[in-house]
Amino acid sequence: MSLLDVTDLSIRYGDETVVDGVDLFVERGESVGLVGESGSGKTQSALAILGLLPKRASVSGSIEFDGRQILGAGDSELDAIRACRIGMVFQDPMQALNPYLRVGTQLRQVLLRHRLAAAGDADALVMAMLARVGLPDPERQFRAYPHEMSGGMRQRAMLAAALIAEPDLLIADEPTTALDVTVQAQILELLEDIRDNTALLLITHDLGIIAGYCEHMIVLERGRVVDAGPTTTLFAAPKHAHTRRLIEAAPRVDRGTPLPPVAGKTILSVGNAVVDYDDLRAVSDVSFAVRAGETLAVVGESGSGKSSLVRAMLGLIPLAAGRVVYAGETLAPTVQKRARSARRDLQLVFQDPVSALNPQLRVAAIVGEPLLVHEPALTRAGREARVVAALEQVGLDESYLRRYPHELSGGQAQRVAIARALILGPKVLICDEAVAALDGSVRRQVLELLRGVQAATGLSIVFITHDLAVVRMISHRVIVMYMGRLAECADSEVLFDTPRHPYTRALLAAIPVPDPVVTPRRAPLRGEVSSLLEPPAGCVFHPRCPLAEARCSAEAPQLRELGGARVACHLA
């Protein structure tokens, strides 16, 4: 008998079926991956298991846990199972943790509510669990509120809350989606190390995580199971076309030939850029250039200064020092003072297309709005023709013209955002984590779209991301940033063949490979990025660097040429 046995699970909201006849089984101590794109029914299935769906949901089928039917069970019966027998790690710990209670108090409540410890013993058990999940200074974290922790620390606290009752089953719903890749590697390693005999149902869209950490996998498409079986078997011989598409679309940091360098002339350059927010220095003395027809990737984790750098480059925030040169002319520090032609030629695509698109306008008005500003003499018919052409350029037809943003999928909304940026015929397109929120197959489509537009028009692209697997697919040259400073700059061929900086090597090692034959590496870095308010002396990376020496904490390294790259490291 399976520990968890879900049979013919269906979930409906009115006339809409979001989960349709799903079967899934989890044995004791087993790890099972539930994989699918957005809207496939992964999270809905998990919430149904725990009885957490809203009352308007209509649920049918069977959910048996340890031989006991729990579908339709009352709150008191489910409360005896939740946390105590089934633990849950939610995607966003900031929303899942109570902001009004200290972390230690929240974990203590789990023990006391389920009578798993006496009141006098609970605090010691909580601090032991906080230490077990790798939180530094458990006594301090016990007293901390969720907002006083970093994202990685909050996720560790969430994991501690889920495991403190030693449940038989742990359900983890996209537990690392919001984390940087090096912190993600730490959490996945921790999850594998500390769950002992606890069974795991891991919900994710990332096939690299499934390949490295799940013995079996179940593939959902539009609420239905289309494939299921041992992970190694399904990767080697997927039965369903959707599974094959997912595997083919998954970017691999360990495979594929990086794009060769572009020999075009420099179209945009940034010299000795400094960006300050009051007493916080977000970008420190960064210089780089972008060539015509080139894709330059700007890589780094949260707090590296990527977004601040490009926003200053666009004049959306002021530079404290340095300059931006476009087409041989130094640009004014703020966008309001720049020539209209420069504003037209430099366009931005944001990370979240739904937030970037005006919800009150239809697609035709959204895409056509830049023409009202930059080409006011254009007739209505001429403007409509340009909008249709821009949509066709990104693979959308005229049927999308009258849709509102909420009527678009994530991929369609991002295509609309790209069409709006391209309609003026810019020379440089800046993409700020433009594919980070997209599913694998949609992400590949958008990347291929950008490469196609670049090949046809000679467009230059500045591509901001934290994912070097995506960088390998699209970039000609890469700059790696850490805490506002340049760590390494090289052509893609050079960087992927011979990464010089320890941080670059760690980023590469941290990315899961979508192949179960490849053994997951141990997390390459410990800890998290230091505070920009109190940056470390010397090399800012030295507190996390596995190679650090005494010199690294005393002397900041300068960029130097080394093997075709520029590297800021004493030991490279």
Side-chain angles (χ1 to χ4, degrees):
M1 180 179 65
S2 301
L3 176 66
L4 178 68
D5 189 340
V6 178
T7 307
D8 196 26
L9 177 66
S10 294
I11 304 171
R12 294 179 178 84
Y13 291 90
D15 296 330
E16 182 184 7
T17 301
V18 296
V19 173
D20 189 3
V22 164
D23 296 338
L24 68 89
F25 312 92
V26 182
E27 304 292 341
R28 294 180 185 277
E30 182 184 38
S31 57
V32 175
L34 189 59
V35 65
E37 298 181 310
S38 300
S40 62
K42 307 185 300 296
T43 297
Q44 290 290 307
S45 299
L47 294 176
I49 293 168
L50 288 165
L52 295 176
L53 289 172
K55 291 183 178 180
R56 62 190 180 89
S58 174
V59 187
S60 62
S62 171
I63 302 175
E64 290 189 5
F65 178 73
D66 201 12
R68 177 180 174 186
Q69 180 62 241
I70 60 173
L71 180 60
D75 286 341
S76 59
E77 187 177 355
L78 287 171
D79 281 346
I81 294 174
R82 295 176 189 138
C84 187
R85 302 283 316 273
I86 303 177
M88 180 78 179
V89 178
F90 294 93
Q91 179 173 343
D92 186 354
M94 194 63 183
Q95 291 186 359
L97 294 171
N98 190 326
Y100 298 105
L101 295 180
R102 299 180 193 273
V103 167
T105 302
Q106 296 185 53
L107 270 69
R108 192 174 189 273
Q109 286 181 345
V110 175
L111 293 175
L112 297 182
R113 177 165 185 169
H114 294 279
R115 299 177 182 174
L116 299 173
D121 300 328
D123 287 2
L125 291 172
V126 168
M127 280 189 275
M129 177 54 75
L130 293 177
R132 193 177 173 200
V133 297
L135 281 170
D137 192 356
E139 291 188 14
R140 181 168 175 251
Q141 306 309 333
F142 183 96
R143 298 189 300 272
Y145 289 97
H147 72 271
E148 295 175 315
M149 292 178 155
S150 68
M153 291 170 69
R154 279 195 295 268
Q155 196 61 288
R156 288 173 187 269
M158 185 82 244
L159 188 56
L163 290 175
I164 195 166
E166 299 182 355
D168 300 297
L169 172 65
L170 179 66
I171 300 175
D173 185 9
E174 298 277 11
T176 62
T177 296
L179 303 179
D180 290 316
V181 288
T182 60
V183 179
Q184 170 183 270
Q186 294 175 35
I187 296 296
L188 290 172
E189 182 181 294
L190 174 66
L191 194 60
E192 188 68 14
D193 288 346
I194 72 169
R195 68 181 181 89
D196 296 327
N197 293 320
T198 299
L200 174 65
L201 179 60
L202 180 59
I203 300 169
T204 182
H205 66 278
D206 191 329
L207 284 172
I209 294 175
I210 295 288
Y213 297 92
C214 296
E215 301 159 73
H216 287 76
M217 62 184 282
I218 300 167
V219 183
L220 291 181
E221 181 187 22
R222 297 179 182 178
R224 295 182 179 180
V225 174
V226 296
D227 243 336
T231 302
T232 51
T233 301
L234 284 189
F235 268 84
K239 304 169 194 172
H240 196 274
H242 182 65
T243 309
R244 286 195 295 274
R245 286 195 296 270
L246 291 178
I247 293 172
E248 290 168 359
R252 296 192 59 150
V253 75
D254 65 330
R255 187 179 296 176
T257 303
L259 300 178
V262 171
K265 66 178 182 179
T266 296
I267 188 171
L268 177 71
S269 65
V270 175
N272 307 109
V274 175
V275 178
D276 290 337
Y277 298 97
D278 296 327
D279 296 331
L280 185 151
R281 176 145 295 180
V283 177
S284 180
D285 195 25
V286 170
S287 301
F288 65 90
V290 184
R291 301 169 187 144
E294 174 186 55
T295 297
L296 174 72
V298 183
V299 179
E301 297 178 287
S302 301
S304 64
K306 308 184 301 295
S307 294
S308 293
L309 176 63
V310 297
R311 279 165 170 71
M313 185 171 70
L314 288 167
L316 300 177
I317 57 176
L319 283 170
R323 64 176 188 160
V324 179
V325 178
Y326 170 68
E329 298 288 333
T330 299
L331 297 179
T334 60
V335 67
Q336 294 86 349
K337 296 180 179 179
R338 291 183 179 179
R340 182 168 291 187
S341 59
R343 301 206 308 265
R344 175 184 185 132
D345 286 349
L346 305 177
Q347 292 291 318
L348 175 65
V349 178
F350 293 94
Q351 176 176 348
D352 182 359
V354 176
S355 298
L357 302 180
N358 189 327
Q360 296 180 320
L361 296 182
R362 298 181 190 271
V363 166
I366 290 170
V367 177
E369 189 172 24
L371 296 175
L372 294 174
V373 176
H374 292 275
E375 299 183 31
L378 199 62
T379 65
R380 181 173 180 178
R383 189 165 58 251
E384 288 179 355
R386 291 275 294 277
V387 169
V388 170
L391 289 177
E392 289 177 347
Q393 190 177 19
V394 298
L396 300 177
D397 58 37
E398 292 184 45
S399 66
Y400 289 87
L401 287 171
R402 296 192 57 77
R403 295 192 190 184
Y404 288 98
H406 72 270
E407 297 175 311
L408 304 172
S409 69
Q412 291 165 351
Q414 194 61 290
R415 287 171 184 262
V416 169
I418 294 171
R420 179 179 61 182
L422 293 177
I423 197 168
L424 295 174
K427 301 297 188 296
V428 181
L429 183 67
I430 294 127
C431 300
D432 188 0
E433 296 279 12
V435 298
L438 302 180
D439 292 316
S441 59
V442 179
R443 176 177 54 203
R444 177 176 283 270
Q445 292 169 15
V446 171
L447 292 175
E448 290 176 349
L449 161 67
L450 291 172
R451 289 179 61 175
V453 171
Q454 185 177 61
T457 65
L459 179 71
S460 298
I461 300 174
V462 178
F463 195 87
I464 303 164
T465 183
H466 64 275
D467 190 343
L468 278 165
V470 170
V471 168
R472 187 167 192 138
M473 295 173 60
I474 195 171
S475 71
H476 301 92
R477 203 153 46 92
V478 186
I479 64 174
V480 180
M481 295 184 65
Y482 189 83
M483 289 191 67
R485 295 154 175 83
L486 273 185
E488 185 165 0
C489 179
D491 292 336
S492 292
E493 291 178 324
V494 174
L495 184 132
F496 284 100
D497 182 60
T498 315
R500 301 282 182 176
H501 199 284
Y503 179 58
T504 307
R505 294 198 291 269
L507 287 177
L508 288 166
I511 298 171
V513 176
D515 186 344
V517 176
V518 178
T519 304
R521 304 181 192 180
R522 300 294 290 179
L525 294 179
R526 299 296 164 188
E528 300 183 41
V529 179
S530 302
S531 171
L532 285 169
L533 290 170
E534 297 180 3
C539 173
V540 291
F541 183 61
H542 87 262
R544 303 178 74 196
C545 182
L547 306 177
E549 298 177 352
R551 179 186 179 190
C552 302
S553 60
E555 179 185 346
Q558 300 300 311
L559 281 168
R560 58 194 176 101
E561 297 288 336
L562 187 64
R566 290 192 299 146
V567 188
C569 179
H570 298 306
L571 308 174

